């Protein structure tokens, strides 16, 4: 079946109109920038100057916000959305939204990154950041002074350890709820001439 001013004789046709045959090939052709071609032997090819797809939990749009993809039970249409899901657009905005207290957003226009979490953890080689502590280096806790561990440690109770010396029990400043300890081979307060 072929429809059009000059009907196409196959699925590879480039004349405006519709073509379909008994093998399953199907073509809707407007021009070289707007067509839908299903060649049963090898491909589905879609081209559109403007493309939009909308379902109850997915939006894909080439015309909104320089191109946009949104997923969720109620998809967001901008970075300021409050529906659970993922939103991203061609302006560089990105939103991963769980709730008002659990989200990650990058607002390209405001050049702002917002991270909110009820419980947060970030780990890497010699780095740990969570709701209860921050560690940079190889220190395990505020009492890690008896080995060659070095770095910076602080926890949510206010305990702090800064240790630069790789020798056990030296080269550190430690503050706990009961005391402050500075242990070093040399202590200078002020500059070297005072």
């Amino acid at each position: 079946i072929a429809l059009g001013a000059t009907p196409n004789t196959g699925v590879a046709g480039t004349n405006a109109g519709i073509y379909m045959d008994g093998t399953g090939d199907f073509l809707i052709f407007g021009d070289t920038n707007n067509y839908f071609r299903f060649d049963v032997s090898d491909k589905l090819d879609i081209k559109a100057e403007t493309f939009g797809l909308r379902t109850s939990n997915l939006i894909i749009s080439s015309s909104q916000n320089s191109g946009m993809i949104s997923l969720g039970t109620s998809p967001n249409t901008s970075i300021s959305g409050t529906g659970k899901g993922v939103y991203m657009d061609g302006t560089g905005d990105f939103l991963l939204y769980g709730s008002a207290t659990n989200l990650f957003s990058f607002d390209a226009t405001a050049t702002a990154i917002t991270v909110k979490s009820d419980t947060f953890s970030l780990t890497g080689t010699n780095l740990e950041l969570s709701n209860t502590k921050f560690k940079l280096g190889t220190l395990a806790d505020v009492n890690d002074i008896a080995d060659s561990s070095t770095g910076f440690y602080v926890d949510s109770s206010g305990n702090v350890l800064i240790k630069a010396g790789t020798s056990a029990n030296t080269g550190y400043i430690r503050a706990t709820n009961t005391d402050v300890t500075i242990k070093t081979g040399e202590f200078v307060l002020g500059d070297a001439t005072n």
Side-chain angles (χ1 to χ4, degrees), residues 44-120:
L44 172 64
D45 187 7
I46 301 171
K47 189 168 184 182
E49 292 172 294
T50 303
F51 179 78
L53 175 65
R54 183 179 287 260
T55 69
S56 61
N57 56 9
L58 167 70
I59 300 172
I60 300 174
S61 172
S62 68
S63 62
Q64 187 172 350
N65 298 333
S66 300
M68 185 233 346
I69 298 174
S70 184
L71 304 162
T73 54
S74 180
N76 296 307
T77 57
S78 73
I79 189 130
S80 60
T82 57
K84 287 183 180 182
V86 177
Y87 169 88
M88 64 186 84
D89 68 35
T91 68
D93 287 349
F94 177 81
L95 173 65
L96 178 60
Y97 193 92
S99 70
T101 58
N102 292 286
L103 64 92
F104 176 91
S105 72
F106 175 73
D107 186 338
T109 305
T111 60
I113 295 175
T114 303
V115 178
K116 293 182 180 181
S117 178
D118 292 332
T119 303
F120 181 79

Side-chain angles (χ1 to χ4, degrees), residues 16-193:
I18 298 173
Y19 170 86
M20 66 181 83
D21 64 32
T23 67
D25 287 346
F26 181 74
L27 171 67
I28 301 172
F29 197 90
D31 58 36
T32 56
N33 293 313
N34 296 285
Y35 61 81
F36 181 99
R37 178 180 286 129
F38 177 68
D39 184 338
V40 73
S41 65
D42 69 348
K43 66 183 165 192
L44 172 64
D45 187 7
I46 301 171
K47 189 168 184 182
E49 292 172 294
T50 303
F51 179 78
L53 175 65
R54 183 179 287 260
T55 69
S56 61
N57 56 9
L58 167 70
I59 300 172
I60 300 174
S61 172
S62 68
S63 62
Q64 187 172 350
N65 298 333
S66 300
M68 185 233 346
I69 298 174
S70 184
L71 304 162
T73 54
S74 180
N76 296 307
T77 57
S78 73
I79 189 130
S80 60
T82 57
K84 287 183 180 182
V86 177
Y87 169 88
M88 64 186 84
D89 68 35
T91 68
D93 287 349
F94 177 81
L95 173 65
L96 178 60
Y97 193 92
S99 70
T101 58
N102 292 286
L103 64 92
F104 176 91
S105 72
F106 175 73
D107 186 338
T109 305
T111 60
I113 295 175
T114 303
V115 178
K116 293 182 180 181
S117 178
D118 292 332
T119 303
F120 181 79
S121 179
L122 172 66
T123 59
T125 304
N126 298 326
L127 170 69
E128 181 178 345
L129 175 62
S130 70
N131 288 10
T132 59
K133 63 186 163 191
F134 173 70
K135 294 184 344 180
L136 184 59
T138 56
L139 298 171
D141 59 40
V142 74
N143 296 310
D144 191 5
I145 58 173
D147 61 22
S148 62
S149 296
T150 60
F152 176 79
Y153 173 93
V154 62
D155 64 31
S156 59
S157 298
N159 298 310
V160 177
L161 174 62
I162 302 170
K163 185 170 184 278
T166 57
S167 300
N169 298 307
T170 189
Y172 68 87
I173 300 172
R174 178 175 61 183
T176 66
N177 63 345
T178 58
D179 62 295
V180 173
T181 306
I182 299 174
K183 184 127 184 203
T184 183
E186 180 179 347
F187 181 80
V188 176
L189 187 59
D191 60 38
T193 60

